[in-house]
Amino acid sequence: MGDFILAVHFAWAAWMIAGVVLAVAGFVWPRVWRWRVFRILHLAGIAATATVPLWAGGVCPLTRWEADALGNGAAPEPFLISWMRRLLYWDVSPVVLSLLVAAGAAITLAVFIARPPKRGAGRP
């Protein structure tokens, strides 16, 4: 179960990072980032799962669930799982990680405010 949560966590983090990249690209090329529902879900997701918990002194809920599911098992990890874990968990200070996440959230929020999604722009 822990490996499944890791895969979901990896996909979620990739979606959050891709959303920040799309937000910046959408500021320059508005057609890229005009999907209203996606933008609202991305902004809510980055606030609910990473930014707010990290700044509140906690951890991302997916990190907590993954740690609980994996326990203290000493079994060797499959190759793909070990690489997902290396890409997802950086060996940096929690302060640096919190600042990176907050920067991504701030960029997304700034683009959301500067170029708000328009009604009826939900289709690509």
Side-chain angles (χ1 to χ4, degrees):
M1 183 64 165
D3 291 343
F4 173 74
I5 295 172
L6 172 64
V8 170
H9 194 182
F10 185 80
W12 184 262
W15 180 57
M16 291 292 111
I17 292 167
V20 173
V21 171
L22 285 173
V24 172
F27 193 76
V28 178
W29 301 289
R31 287 189 66 124
V32 172
W33 191 235
R34 68 181 197 176
W35 305 308
R36 185 172 195 253
V37 172
F38 183 83
R39 289 183 67 184
I40 292 169
L41 288 175
H42 179 262
L43 187 59
I46 202 167
T49 61
T51 308
V52 172
L54 284 175
W55 284 98
V59 296
C60 171
L62 288 169
T63 302
R64 186 179 317 276
W65 295 336
E66 182 185 335
D68 290 346
L70 289 174
N72 294 332
E77 291 182 317
F79 177 77
L80 184 60
I81 298 297
S82 68
W83 272 102
M84 279 194 280
R85 193 175 311 286
R86 286 180 192 153
L87 289 171
L88 190 59
Y89 295 109
W90 299 349
D91 188 20
V92 297
S93 161
V95 172
V96 172
L97 183 60
S98 294
L99 289 174
L100 287 171
V101 170
I107 290 168
T108 302
L109 182 61
V111 171
F112 196 88
I113 292 169
R115 297 232 177 157
K118 297 176 181 145
R119 288 212 175 265
R123 286 178 242 113

